[in-house]
Structures are given as structure tokens and as C-alpha cells.
Amino acid sequence: MKIPTVTLNSGHEMPVVGYGTYPLQGRPATEAILAAIASGYRLLDTAASYGNEDAVGAAVRESGLDRADLFITTKLRGADQGRGSTRAALEASLERLGLDHVDLYLIHWPLPAVGRYVDSYAEMAELHREGLIRSLGVSNFLPEHIDAVVAATGIVPAVDQLQVSPSHARAELVGAVQGKGTVVQAWSPLERNTGVLEDPGIVAVADRLGVTPAQVVLRWLLQRQVTVVPHSSNPSRQRANADLFGFELSAADLAVVDSVAQVPVKQDPATWEEF
Ligand SMILES: NC(=O)c1ccc[n+]([C@@H]2O[C@H](COP(=O)([O-])OP(=O)(O)OC[C@H]3O[C@@H](n4cnc5c(N)ncnc54)[C@H](OP(=O)(O)O)[C@@H]3O)[C@@H](O)[C@H]2O)c1
């Protein structure tokens, strides 16, 4: 299965479907990632705070693939934001991954009350120039946070990884971020299977098209130009979650998913703190 790519504003290609590695750790993580790679995933999404960068690195080595054929994302945790500590955090992540560069480095949360995300991004710009990061990105950034890092560095983030899913469609936020030339990547696109996959409208679309409700949700995101990093520890669900290119949702199908009741996100980037 070949997963298409999107060209980022950095000029690099990024698969539109990636494999989310949270919350796996240790050998089970490596095994699940190897299964995902065997299914065709080439983007692996990890973070310093997930405690599994070592397991991701093991899977990269055991996959036998060329480094250039994989797209590795990791994230700067809140505790490491700031001048000097950002460089040290990336170097520690690279050490755990066993890599000499990452394809995408994200600031995990803006933590506006801490006030260090602009300094962190400026240091990431230096690391980018040195070749340790291929593309600069952010996560959970609202438009004003993006504006602040662009004002400081002149570099528009290539990616903003945001919580986007049928109950949290966040159309205005997604549109504003995309309007800056930043690719939106949805985290928890399946809402951690907490109910949206049983939505009767989504189930009916899935049944008619002969696909799964998860495939309908992921395809709905892709058709909004939102890339996705679903997680599954199960090889057959991993395969299905990446098998999104043999069918298309009609305008009426898209409207069914658009009509899911909206719920505000619990982790509001303006106030959410995690370190
Ligand atoms: N930037 C951030 O702040 C942030 C925050 C959270 C997550 N993330 C990233 O986003 C990735 C994905 O988000 P997530 O893991 O929170 O949630 P998710 O991908 O929406 O859901 C994962 C859950 O859904 C189940 N599932 C997967 N495919 C399914 C299918 N086809 N049918 C039914 N159930 C299915 C999985 O169970 P099984 O394993 O049993 O299949 C797992 O429990 C994470 O792994 C992480 O890399 C980023």
C-alpha cells in the first residue's frame, strides 16, 4: 500500500497518513511499529514525553528500510522549552532514536503562560539550519501562536498537529492555520474510539461504501486537506486505517460527518499545561 504525500512549505514531502505511537512503549511498541511499516506506513509520530523514542529507533533499524524512506516526527516537551534546553532536548531525542536528524520537530504545546515557545522555535530554526531538523513544526498552536513564531523567525511552521475529529471539527481554526500555508495534522482523529465510530450516520455511510467507520472518519479529514496520525496496536486495524485511497466521500457523505454534534476540546491550547 502506497500512502500519498503532501509537499510541505519546507519543500519536503510528508505522508498524509502516519502512524501514531502513543501510548506504546518498549518491545510491544517496536513490534506494533514494524507491523505498521509492513502495512505501508512511513511516517512515525513520537514525542519525548511518550517515553518510546528508543522503541521507534529500534523499529527504524529493524525495518531494513533506508532512512530516507521514513519520515520521523518527534516533539519538544514543555519542561524543555527555552533557550539552550531546546537544543539539548533535540540532541537527547536523536540519541534515543539513534538518528542524526528528524524529519519534523514539533513544539508539543505552546504553554503561553510559560512564555518560552517563541525562544524554543527560534532555537529550532538554528537546529534546522544545522540539518538536525528537516521541517519545523508546532502542535496545538492557535493562529496567534503561529503569528508570534513567524514574527520572530520569518519561518512559517510546516505543520500544526491539532486535535481534529468529527466532534471537534474546529473548522475555523483549521481554515486559519491552513491559510498560513501550514499543513494541519489531526491527532486523536478517531477520538480514541470513544463513540464517534458508532455514530449511526457514519456507520450508514461506511456500510454503503463497504468500508469501516474509522475509514470514513479518516477520509473525511483527508478530503478537508487535514493529514492524520491514527494509532492502532492491531495490525488489521492499522492496515484499514491507511487504506483510504480506493474510495471517495461524496458531498452528501461529507455533510453526514459534518453534522456530528460539536463538543469543545478539553485540552484548550490557550490554557492547557503539560510538561
Ligand atoms: N500532539 C499532541 O498533543 C497529541 C496528543 C495525543 C495524541 N497525539 C498523537 O496522535 C496519535 C493518535 O491519537 P490517539 O492515539 O490519541 O487516538 P486515535 O488514533 O484517535 O485512537 C486510537 C484508539 O482507537 C482505537 N482504534 C484505532 N483504529 C481503530 C479502528 N479502525 N476501529 C476501532 N478502533 C480503532 C485504538 O485501539 P486498538 O489499538 O485496539 O486498535 C486506540 O485505542 C497518537 O498515537 C499520538 O502519536 C498527539
Side-chain angles (χ1 to χ4, degrees):
M1 190 158 41
K2 180 104 179 74
I3 296 175
T5 60
V6 60
T7 306
L8 302 175
N9 64 14
S10 57
H12 294 288
E13 296 290 315
M14 182 181 80
V16 298
V17 183
Y19 180 65
T21 64
Y22 179 81
L24 298 172
Q25 293 185 328
R27 196 62 212 170
T30 301
E31 298 292 347
I33 296 163
L34 284 168
I37 291 172
S39 290
Y41 291 84
R42 293 294 178 267
L43 187 170
L44 306 176
D45 181 75
T46 180
S49 66
Y50 299 170
N52 65 12
E53 290 172 313
D54 55 346
V56 171
V60 168
R61 287 187 295 281
E62 290 176 36
S63 73
L65 290 177
D66 285 346
R67 171 67 184 88
D69 293 333
L70 288 165
F71 187 105
I72 310 297
T73 302
T74 194
K75 312 187 189 83
L76 176 70
R77 64 190 307 158
D80 290 329
Q81 280 197 27
R83 276 278 170 196
S85 48
T86 297
R87 174 180 293 273
L90 176 66
E91 286 172 350
S93 283
L94 290 172
E95 176 85 32
R96 287 189 291 270
L97 286 160
L99 300 177
D100 62 4
H101 72 275
V102 287
D103 295 279
L104 179 64
Y105 197 48
L106 308 178
I107 299 178
H108 208 144
W109 285 90
L111 311 177
V114 173
R116 295 203 187 113
Y117 70 86
V118 173
D119 280 351
S120 304
Y121 194 83
E123 190 151 291
M124 283 164 55
E126 288 168 16
L127 296 161
H128 174 244
R129 283 192 288 275
E130 293 169 25
L132 278 66
I133 301 169
R134 288 277 156 86
S135 298
L136 296 181
V138 295
S139 180
N140 302 300
F141 271 41
L142 301 176
E144 61 261 35
H145 306 134
I146 295 180
D147 291 344
V149 297
V150 175
T153 64
I155 304 175
V156 178
V159 172
D160 189 359
Q161 191 181 99
L162 293 166
Q163 185 180 10
V164 187
S165 62
S167 311
H168 312 290
R170 307 173 92 182
E172 202 178 316
L173 172 61
V174 168
V177 171
Q178 290 176 333
K180 295 179 188 298
T182 298
V183 169
V184 174
Q185 188 176 57
W187 63 259
S188 292
L190 305 174
E191 303 185 7
R192 297 188 174 162
N193 194 17
T194 51
V196 78
L197 303 180
E198 284 91 55
D199 177 272
I202 292 176
V203 170
V205 171
D207 287 348
R208 186 167 38 76
L209 295 175
V211 297
T212 67
Q215 286 172 308
V216 170
V217 168
L218 295 169
R219 181 76 205 185
W220 169 78
L221 285 159
L222 293 179
Q223 288 186 220
R224 294 174 66 204
Q225 280 71 54
V226 174
T227 66
V228 294
V229 285
H231 166 72
S232 175
S233 53
N234 174 293
S236 78
R237 286 194 286 278
Q238 290 174 351
R239 253 193 313 282
N241 292 348
D243 187 8
L244 305 172
F245 306 98
F247 69 103
E248 199 168 344
L249 301 179
S250 66
D253 297 333
L254 294 171
V256 167
V257 188
D258 286 335
S259 71
V260 169
Q262 295 302 292
V263 179
V265 293
K266 287 203 189 93
Q267 295 166 267
D268 176 358
T271 51
W272 181 259
E273 299 213 321
E274 68 173 50
F275 296 91

